[in-house]
């Protein structure tokens, strides 16, 4: 058993490195903070102190889980998204930093069109943790929104996150197979649908392939199954002056733009918006 917090950190990082974890020091620190209920600041300040035996026992179990490639967020139960903390579990995709680009693009569009002060109606298709809907509601205090998903468990999680972020009074949730159960008009539709081709899922990192729900990843044989459904029917849900923003995989921009045009949308001429890594990430379409 390690004597000090510092020694526990060194030993944990070494175990994780040997297990092939790409960021052993970072992960060791996060697991240690979780096991010993330390903040990042107190971790530094108390590095020389003894690690309590109960914390050491907890840490050992957490390290075993991480070494078997369970994501950190699943182990700690939370994940940061656009500066806010979301509950995560096996029912929904672990929110990704890339998806924050969609928030940036949505807020920039609302700013550009001067609609920030309006009582905007938002729709989030395939809401998962609700990270898109609840973040937008937190950023746009006058907006209201509907989050939909095929998974009832994901909807329960999204609702819990809306309460956690203090936006539940402006959020509602509905089980729907894409657009089937949705009625009404929305000013802004957002979606990060599953877009991995079925045959590629097993080749993804174990953290993704074995821990994110298959329903959240599988885009059918060519990865485009969900976009086809959404693009073919969504014009009836878009209010005048409204827009739809979809996240895409790196090579999917032209074909998704084509599907949206075929469905009756106008797609901006300047093409997709890019994420922080410089990859095409969001397609914006209007009526
Ligand atoms: C890639 S995840 C995105 C989750 C969340 N919006 C995010 O950005 O992190 C796709 C979501 O679509 C949902 N989904 C899959 N098939 C669906 C369908 N037929 N109808 C509605 N939602 C579906 C999944 O359950 C999952 O929550």
């Amino acid at each position: 058993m390690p004597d000090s917090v510092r020694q526990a950190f060194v030993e944990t990082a070494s175990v994780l490195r040997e297990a092939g974890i790409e960021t052993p020091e970072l992960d060791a620190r996060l697991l240690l903070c979780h096991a010993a209920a330390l903040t990042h600041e107190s971790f530094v300040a108390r590095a020389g102190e003894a690690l309590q035996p109960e914390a050491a026992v907890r840490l050992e179990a957490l390290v075993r889980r991480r070494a078997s490639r369970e994501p950190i967020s699943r182990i700690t139960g939370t994940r940061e998204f656009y500066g806010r903390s979301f509950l995560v579990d096996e029912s929904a995709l672990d929110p990704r930093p890339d998806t924050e680009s969609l928030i940036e693009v949505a807020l920039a569009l609302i700013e550009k069109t001067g609609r920030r002060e309006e009582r905007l109606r938002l729709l989030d298709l395939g809401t998962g943790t609700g990270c898109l809907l609840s973040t937008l509601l937190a950023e746009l205090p006058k907006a209201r929104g509907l989050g939909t998903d095929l998974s009832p468990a994901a909807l329960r999680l999204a609702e819990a996150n809306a309460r956690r972020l203090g936006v539940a009074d402006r959020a509602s949730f509905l089980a729907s197979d894409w657009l089937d159960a949705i009625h009404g008009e929305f000013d802004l539709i957002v979606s990060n649908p599953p877009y991995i081709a079925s045959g590629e899922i097993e080749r993804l990192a174990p953290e993704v392939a074995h821990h994110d729900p298959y329903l959240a990843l599988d885009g059918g044989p060519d990865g485009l199954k969900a976009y086809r459904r959404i693009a073919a029917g969504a014009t009836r849900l878009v209010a005048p002056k409204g827009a739809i923003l979809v996240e895409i995989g790196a090579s999917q921009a032209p074909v998704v733009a084509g599907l949206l045009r075929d469905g009756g949308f106008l797609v901006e001429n300047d093409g997709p918006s890019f994420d922080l890594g410089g990859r095409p990430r969001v397609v914006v379409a209007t009526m």
Side-chain angles (χ1 to χ4, degrees), residues 11-23:
E11 287 178 13
T12 300
S14 158
V15 172
L16 296 180
R17 194 173 302 108
E18 272 170 36
I21 300 298
E22 278 176 22
T23 51

Side-chain angles (χ1 to χ4, degrees), residues 147-171:
T148 66
D149 209 289
L150 192 59
S151 157
L155 289 168
R156 284 194 292 275
L157 180 65
E159 211 163 352
N161 276 319
R163 283 196 297 275
R164 186 176 168 89
L165 266 69
V167 298
D169 56 333
R170 293 181 288 123

Side-chain angles (χ1 to χ4, degrees), residues 72-135:
I72 290 278
S73 54
R74 201 56 77 63
I75 296 170
T76 61
T78 58
R79 170 82 170 213
E80 290 290 308
F81 182 81
Y82 210 75
R84 297 180 179 88
S85 168
F86 283 78
L87 301 171
V88 297
D89 68 21
E90 67 289 342
S91 67
L93 190 89
D94 195 352
R96 304 294 206 274
D98 290 341
T99 302
E100 294 176 337
S101 303
L102 200 149
I103 299 287
E104 295 283 359
V105 176
L107 294 176
L109 182 71
I110 288 166
E111 212 58 66
K112 191 171 106 185
T113 50
R115 305 193 71 186
R116 180 171 270 281
E117 295 307 315
E118 290 182 31
R119 299 165 75 85
L120 296 172
R121 296 155 295 177
L122 314 180
L123 170 63
D124 178 14
L125 299 167
T127 196
T129 53
C131 61
L132 287 173
L133 180 67
S134 284
T135 299

